[in-house]
Amino acid sequence: MKKIFCLFIIVFSVIACYDKKSKNLPIEDEGIPIVKSVSRTIHKREFPIKDFSKIEVVSYYDRIMWDTLEYKKNVPFNKVLVDNYKLTFDSTKIQERVILNKVQEKELLNLMVCDTCIPEQISAACYKPRHMILFRDKKNRIIGYDEFCIECVGSRSSDNLNGFQKYCYSDMQKLLENFGITLFIESGDEKRVKEEIDFIENIRKSK
């Protein structure tokens, strides 16, 4: 009799514990408890570039495909992109330029200082950079930059922005679209892909 009573107590405790946990979980239409996905961890940092006067956002077709300018014998894939406050690639190939206003600057910096990237968004082996953020001083010199490939989830940045590529690229794309940038190319977008191929072919033919 005592064994039966003890067994009853154990079963009752397990059921009560399960019911208590279930109340803290969202319920699907079928009435089955589901586990929430892990929320993004937001860790804010202080932005390292203090003396910039303006922020410029530029776009261009895949730089690796047309940038033939070497820098200290480094190929376009991994070369330093700014030397002596100037770009080390042909700036005439830039397609769009947007100078951010003060409100837009705050929006951009707020994204860059927050580590919000979810673990699932990891870098691919490719690198097809089409966007770049330039930080300029009062003399219009480039004192910091952040180039990135939204498609491949990769970046190149100046030393003073090392480690600040912890935002989600999808969030950056939405922000750039709000700023007026329109050059975004995805593998399934046949029209834009053809535009890029034609642009690169015309450069090669002109040489």
Side-chain angles (χ1 to χ4, degrees):
M1 187 67 179
K2 288 183 179 180
K3 290 183 179 180
I4 296 175
F5 180 75
C6 291
L7 180 63
F8 175 79
I9 293 297
I10 292 171
V11 172
F12 179 80
S13 298
V14 170
I15 294 174
C17 182
Y18 176 80
D19 288 342
K20 185 177 181 180
K21 290 182 179 179
S22 298
K23 290 178 181 179
N24 295 326
L25 296 175
I27 306 298
E28 289 184 335
D29 294 336
E30 294 81 3
I32 302 173
I34 57 175
V35 179
K36 280 186 176 182
S37 60
V38 179
S39 301
R40 292 179 179 179
T41 300
I42 298 178
H43 172 66
K44 284 191 175 183
R45 294 175 291 171
E46 188 174 355
F47 196 68
I49 304 177
K50 304 296 183 182
D51 53 346
F52 70 86
S53 179
K54 64 181 178 181
I55 302 176
E56 181 181 14
V57 179
V58 301
S59 69
Y60 35 76
Y61 293 109
D62 180 3
R63 179 181 60 78
I64 304 302
M65 297 302 294
W66 55 259
D67 182 10
T68 59
L69 300 178
E70 291 187 355
Y71 173 79
K72 294 183 177 180
K73 297 183 180 181
N74 287 326
V75 296
F77 183 83
N78 57 8
K79 72 176 185 178
V80 173
L81 300 178
V82 172
D83 180 39
N84 195 25
Y85 306 109
K86 296 179 182 179
L87 295 170
T88 62
F89 61 84
D90 187 357
S91 61
T92 64
K93 301 299 188 295
I94 292 175
Q95 302 297 307
E96 299 172 301
R97 292 180 180 269
V98 176
I99 303 297
L100 304 187
N101 58 40
K102 295 304 178 183
V103 174
Q104 292 171 330
E105 285 182 2
K106 289 181 179 179
E107 291 176 329
L108 177 67
L109 295 180
N110 187 57
L111 176 60
M112 293 187 72
V113 301
C114 293
D115 300 344
T116 58
C117 190
I118 55 179
E120 286 81 359
Q121 195 176 62
I122 57 177
S123 298
C126 66
Y127 186 57
K128 302 176 182 179
R130 299 185 178 96
H131 303 92
M132 193 176 197
I133 301 170
L134 302 173
F135 297 86
R136 297 181 180 271
D137 63 11
K138 293 181 180 179
K139 296 181 180 180
N140 206 39
R141 301 179 303 181
I142 301 174
I143 57 175
Y145 68 85
D146 185 19
E147 181 192 62
F148 45 90
C149 171
I150 294 176
E151 181 181 1
C152 302
V153 193
S155 70
R156 301 286 185 276
S157 62
S158 53
D159 290 340
N160 54 0
L161 286 177
N162 185 33
F164 269 78
Q165 196 73 37
K166 295 184 180 180
Y167 52 78
C168 285
Y169 288 81
S170 55
D171 292 338
M172 178 59 76
Q173 177 171 341
K174 292 177 183 177
L175 196 59
L176 296 190
E177 288 174 346
N178 291 338
F179 294 163
I181 296 295
T182 62
L183 200 164
F184 297 98
I185 299 178
E186 298 179 2
S187 57
D189 190 340
E190 296 181 1
K191 180 180 178 182
R192 296 309 298 265
V193 170
K194 185 178 184 304
E195 287 178 4
E196 184 170 68
I197 293 174
D198 291 344
F199 175 84
I200 295 168
E201 286 298 319
N202 288 334
I203 292 176
R204 292 174 177 173
K205 289 178 182 178
S206 64
K207 293 179 180 180

